[in-house]
Amino acid sequence: MNSSTTTSTAAGEKTGRPGADRAAGRPGRRRLDSRAWAPWALLAPFLLLFTLTFAVPILTAVAQSFTRVTRQGVFGEQGVTTQFAGFWNYAQALGNDNFTASIGRMLLFGIVQVPVMMLLCTILALLLEGASARWPAFFRASYFMPYGIPGVIATILWSFLYVPGLSPLIDIAGRFGVEVDFLGADTVLWSIANIVTWSYTGYNMLIIVAQLKTIPNEIYEAAKVDGASPWRVAWTIQLPLIRPALVLTTVFSIIGTLQLFAEPQVLQSVSPAIDSEYTPNLSAYTTAFAYNDYNVAAAQAVLIALVAFILSFAFLRLTNRKSQ
Amino acid sequence: MSPLSRRGFLGLGMSAGAALLAGCSTPGSTSVNAAPVIPPASGPVKLTYWAWLKDLQKVCDIWNAKNPNIQVEAVWIPSGNSGGYPKMYSALAAGTGPDLAQIEFRTIPEFLLVNGLVDLARYGAQDYADRFDKTLWGQVSFVDGVYGIPQDSGPMATFYRPDLLERVGADAPATWDQWAQVAAELRKDKVYIDCFPLADPSWFTAIATQAGASWLRVDGDGWVINMTDDVTLATARFFDKAIDDDLVTTAFGQYSTPWFAAAADNQIASLTSASWGDALLEGVSGGEGKWRVAKMPRWSDGFGSSYIGGSTVAVLANSQHPKEALEFAIWMQTSKEGIDALIKYCGIGWSPLRDYIGEQREQPAAFFGGQRYNEEIFLPASKEQNPDWSWWPITQQSFNIIGDGFRKKASGGTLVDAIVTAETTIIDAFRNKGLTIRKATS
């Protein structure tokens, strides 16, 4: 983006530069070859940790998702055998209505919550970066603050506003003759969505603000000269230029939605409507650590990763096609 | 970055990964109880004890002062399913873990499934069987083995508010039919007699146990399931009607935050719960002196009481000193000194001993208006238990399955349907674990 404004003045320089680089690079390449270990040595700490804490666990999980255990005796005390199971664990995971329902629930959650949050954070970012904004630094910090509160604490805070008998909101609504139930089977998903939106809007806003700050002043000046209204500036200059940030935050939000865990886990203690497999991650957690079925849990984890991958990829494809 | 070195590196990574994979099979596939018995140590030993009891170290210190050769260190962990069990399971899977650990009665078979517990009968636990309550000892014994030492339990009774019941001219109900009548009267006063927890079926399970149910038992090499017996279905039908008639609330469970709010607001007249509820009830603000304890309502058949909850102290599979661990556990659970300290410091539930409830529990309680409720109500209740009840290897999963069914009650389902469906699902879950199970034929 920066280069586009300087193209006319630096055109001559630009054409010469790649060739010069290449010429300078060639003799250097041989020297590097003789010291080929150097990048590896520098990369080693990263690669070691990456392999041990990322690659190996993922490979182990994938391998576990293809094995199953059979037991002889009442508890397997007469022998336990582990064998290759093909896609048996995947069939188990997909045959579990609670697990498929949890994925469906998160898709519904994502379709509603992600656009609402993106809209909110975009509006906030545009307002804060608007020419007439007062104390933008203060408001930026206060909108960002909820992100600094861990999800568990945020949920406990919000649960005091959700629980009947404790919540002033319910009392006030009751005074007007409105009965609200934030924790019922139909409403609790949106109560969670509210907590998530509250927590992450500020964070996403900050990414968009950062992108807005990269828009060169010349463009705004040109718009001013052309007599563009603030609406027009937002619509035809800012929105198209923060598109990469919007795409990035949306992909993060889609992935985050599928990984929802802490909020429903904590809210479970006050809402009987949240079962132990309310979200895909809760389901995998329960299968692994409450049912001790690591194999099916591994299959669930792989499936969650696949769905997140497919959704993110589809979204990226969609936005790329549009921009072309 | 030459292509050769990249490929070489990848190859190295793949072979390292493959080697690691070969080393890790599904955790818990070998049994410690097939290995030879570990002889007592000749020198001093140090034992670790994972539990979610507060101030447990103070109890251990009493023992440590007298037994320089067996020093016990207590480590606090989060309670059971809230993080304690996952921690133990991971430790077992990694081949480590403490010597002793707190495990609930209903979870013992789950740990057996991952070969996580030492069979204490091989270290002489049976010699102490007669000191313990027979029903509880039965719940730690499976196929000739003993897999934990009972630590505490929760015999059931009814905590009630005489003032709220008097307003409708009632006393604590003696039978479940009376309970339903009193509940209907209370509703006219906008008071609930109790709540029915749809999400946590352990309460329903306890009431069905009181009625005489025995859902699973071991037969030879496999399990026999019978959840759809007459008493269970009658219990389900009874509470289906109670919920339909709005006699109980399903909006929250006992001791949940909304429950405490409702109780403090005089909207809860009673709760049928376990002995350990006495300490929790003290969290009801302004509740001092207002509550009393009565025997729980009875069915026409069945038993006088039931159990909810209760823990054991078990020896985990990777302990190097099971004999010493058992010695400590027996001291802690059968000596008056141990029981009194556990009550005083850790506030454990009902003592599992046959003939000692603990000194502190022989005193009258100010919160319950000076009632000696432990001796009057809970002591007899602990003797009127269903001795045939046994837990099974997928208890938690079964409870979740039943809870999933119960939740459908809110959208027009019935508890009866939930139980019938759950039985089939639990049979499938057993088979998916590679276990043998059949439906009772009678």
Side-chain angles (χ1 to χ4, degrees):
Chain A
M1 234 150 271
N2 275 329
S3 62
S4 67
T5 58
T6 51
T7 315
S8 53
T9 53
E13 242 181 84
K14 227 184 166 186
T15 45
R17 206 184 275 148
D21 281 356
R22 228 177 285 146
R26 254 182 216 139
R29 178 73 60 85
R30 210 165 292 148
R31 268 212 306 279
L32 272 174
D33 270 347
S34 62
R35 279 189 278 162
W37 54 268
W40 289 114
L42 292 169
L43 275 174
F46 162 75
L47 282 177
L48 193 72
L49 285 174
F50 180 78
T51 314
L52 286 178
T53 62
F54 201 82
V56 169
I58 288 178
L59 282 175
T60 313
V62 172
Q64 282 204 351
S65 72
F66 287 105
T67 56
R68 65 172 293 195
V69 170
T70 40
R71 298 176 164 86
Q72 283 80 47
V74 183
F75 298 103
E77 73 280 358
Q78 292 163 24
V80 176
T81 43
T82 307
Q83 68 210 55
F84 181 72
F87 284 94
W88 191 83
N89 292 317
Y90 289 88
Q92 288 295 309
L94 292 173
N96 176 356
D97 292 341
N98 289 334
F99 180 65
T100 44
S102 75
I103 293 187
R105 192 176 290 126
M106 283 308 104
L107 290 181
L108 175 67
F109 182 98
I111 287 170
V112 176
Q113 191 264 337
V114 174
V116 166
M117 181 170 68
M118 294 318 298
L119 197 70
L120 262 177
C121 68
T122 311
I123 292 173
L124 284 179
L126 289 175
L127 285 177
L128 283 178
E129 285 300 293
S132 52
R134 298 252 177 275
W135 306 315
F138 168 75
F139 283 106
R140 202 160 52 224
S142 19
Y143 294 145
F144 182 68
M145 207 137 29
Y147 182 70
I149 297 169
V152 172
I153 312 285
T155 311
I156 293 172
L157 290 175
W158 274 101
S159 71
F160 285 113
L161 294 175
Y162 289 159
V163 170
L166 293 176
S167 165
L169 298 181
I170 295 175
D171 287 350
I172 293 168
R175 219 156 278 164
F176 290 102
V178 187
E179 278 218 11
V180 282
D181 178 8
F182 291 116
L183 303 171
D186 302 325
T187 47
V188 73
L189 186 65
W190 309 115
S191 299
I192 297 172
N194 175 50
I195 300 175
V196 173
T197 311
W198 179 79
S199 300
Y200 291 97
T201 302
Y203 169 76
N204 288 323
M205 175 205 74
L206 212 63
I207 296 178
I208 296 170
V209 164
Q211 181 97 51
L212 277 171
K213 285 197 179 295
T214 65
I215 299 178
N217 250 331
E218 291 88 336
I219 298 186
Y220 289 124
E221 279 160 17
K224 217 180 206 173
V225 169
D226 287 347
S229 68
W231 278 108
R232 188 63 198 259
V233 170
W235 193 252
T236 42
I237 297 175
Q238 290 175 313
L239 277 181
L241 288 179
I242 57 170
R243 199 188 153 80
L246 288 175
V247 171
L248 179 82
T249 44
T250 308
V251 169
F252 281 177
S253 303
I254 291 173
I255 297 171
T257 300
L258 275 164
Q259 294 184 342
L260 204 61
F261 180 81
E263 289 83 1
Q265 163 91 335
V266 173
L267 220 50
Q268 207 166 29
S269 63
V270 291
S271 171
I274 300 177
D275 61 33
S276 54
E277 296 182 272
Y278 198 72
T279 71
N281 257 0
L282 262 179
S283 179
Y285 174 81
T286 307
T287 310
F289 297 116
Y291 306 165
N292 260 312
D293 203 334
Y294 298 103
N295 304 120
V296 172
Q300 288 179 318
V302 172
L303 286 170
I304 297 169
L306 273 180
V307 173
F309 179 77
I310 291 169
L311 284 179
S312 313
F313 190 73
F315 179 76
L316 284 173
R317 276 299 287 272
L318 201 75
T319 49
N320 275 341
R321 187 182 304 158
K322 256 193 198 160
S323 67
Q324 280 160 14
Chain B
M1 235 194 279
S2 68
L4 188 76
S5 70
R6 181 195 282 170
R7 207 172 293 157
F9 172 76
L10 278 179
L12 192 75
M14 291 300 265
S15 52
L20 270 163
L21 283 186
C24 57
S25 58
T26 303
S29 7
T30 50
S31 172
V32 67
N33 296 317
V37 171
I38 301 174
S42 46
V45 301
K46 215 175 162 202
L47 304 175
T48 348
Y49 180 4
W50 285 6
W52 55 87
L53 297 169
K54 65 180 167 73
D55 285 339
L56 182 61
Q57 189 60 50
K58 291 187 180 163
V59 181
C60 299
D61 284 343
I62 299 174
W63 161 272
N64 288 347
K66 293 184 197 160
N67 297 274
N69 276 340
I70 306 175
Q71 293 289 300
V72 186
E73 189 199 355
V75 178
W76 187 88
I77 54 165
S79 76
N81 282 321
S82 321
Y85 295 148
K87 195 175 156 97
M88 290 184 215
Y89 286 136
S90 341
L92 285 167
T96 58
D99 299 279
L100 295 140
Q102 178 175 7
I103 295 175
E104 288 160 282
F105 284 100
R106 72 183 200 197
T107 317
I108 287 213
E110 312 221 18
F111 273 87
L112 290 180
L113 200 60
V114 292
N115 285 309
L117 302 179
V118 172
D119 176 5
L120 297 173
R122 300 170 82 214
Y123 294 91
Q126 292 289 12
D127 299 349
Y128 307 99
D130 56 357
R131 298 190 193 177
F132 289 93
D133 178 89
K134 215 177 103 208
T135 306
L136 296 178
W137 193 259
Q139 291 189 7
V140 295
S141 309
F142 292 92
V143 209
D144 308 326
V146 174
Y147 294 94
I149 301 299
Q151 182 163 64
D152 65 354
S153 70
M156 290 178 79
T158 300
F159 299 97
Y160 69 104
R161 289 273 304 269
D163 55 334
L164 295 184
L165 287 174
E166 258 163 40
R167 290 213 308 238
V168 296
D171 199 8
T175 68
W176 283 107
D177 285 335
Q178 279 178 23
W179 177 89
Q181 287 160 14
V182 174
E185 291 301 313
L186 284 168
R187 283 311 290 142
K188 294 173 190 159
D189 215 10
K190 288 204 180 314
V191 172
Y192 278 112
I193 195 164
D194 207 337
C195 47
F196 186 90
L198 290 177
D200 176 12
S202 53
W203 192 81
F204 175 84
T205 308
I207 306 296
T209 310
Q210 184 202 16
S214 173
W215 289 350
L216 279 111
R217 61 185 168 84
V218 172
D219 181 34
D221 271 358
W223 291 86
V224 180
I225 189 169
N226 189 13
M227 282 176 64
T228 46
D229 56 338
D230 295 342
V231 286
T232 306
L233 291 182
T235 310
R237 231 170 275 130
F238 178 86
F239 285 104
D240 263 332
K241 188 166 184 317
I243 297 169
D244 293 343
D245 296 349
D246 191 36
L247 300 183
V248 284
T249 174
T250 55
F252 43 76
Q254 293 175 344
Y255 312 118
S256 64
T257 317
W259 182 89
F260 276 110
D265 200 25
N266 302 323
Q267 291 172 16
I268 303 284
S270 78
L271 76 157
T272 298
S273 175
S275 65
W276 40 258
D278 58 357
L280 295 172
L281 264 185
E282 293 183 18
V284 177
S285 67
E288 166 108 39
K290 288 186 185 159
W291 294 82
R292 297 289 182 278
V293 192
K295 287 189 145 194
M296 72 185 283
R298 286 194 66 130
W299 301 103
S300 50
D301 286 324
F303 301 86
S305 180
S306 191
Y307 279 129
I308 291 192
S311 302
T312 71
V313 46
V315 178
L316 292 200
N318 297 319
S319 171
Q320 292 309 304
H321 307 291
K323 177 77 191 162
E324 288 84 356
L326 175 65
E327 217 175 296
F328 166 75
I330 290 293
W331 167 81
M332 183 170 65
Q333 299 306 150
T334 66
S335 70
K336 289 192 169 182
E337 184 182 38
I339 290 288
D340 283 340
L342 278 171
I343 294 173
K344 185 175 166 198
Y345 295 119
C346 313
I348 59 157
W350 196 254
S351 155
L353 290 186
R354 259 183 201 181
D355 45 18
Y356 187 60
I357 68 169
E359 197 189 346
Q360 197 177 321
R361 301 217 158 111
E362 291 163 354
Q363 312 302 321
F367 186 85
F368 295 96
Q371 191 185 6
R372 301 172 81 92
Y373 64 97
N374 282 310
E375 285 175 317
E376 270 174 36
I377 305 294
F378 286 115
L379 185 59
S382 70
K383 313 275 180 203
E384 295 178 48
Q385 298 289 332
N386 177 348
D388 296 328
W389 184 266
S390 152
W391 296 107
W392 57 96
I394 54 165
T395 308
Q396 189 55 42
Q397 188 170 3
S398 310
F399 274 14
N400 287 349
I401 290 168
I402 300 168
D404 290 342
F406 278 8
R407 277 195 194 88
K408 295 200 179 109
K409 178 81 186 163
S411 51
T414 67
L415 303 182
V416 173
D417 286 347
I419 291 289
V420 173
T421 319
E423 186 178 54
T424 331
T425 318
I426 290 170
I427 292 175
D428 287 342
F430 262 87
R431 298 203 170 127
N432 288 343
K433 290 263 181 185
L435 295 166
T436 320
I437 187 169
R438 65 178 169 83
K439 173 94 181 78
T441 39
S442 61

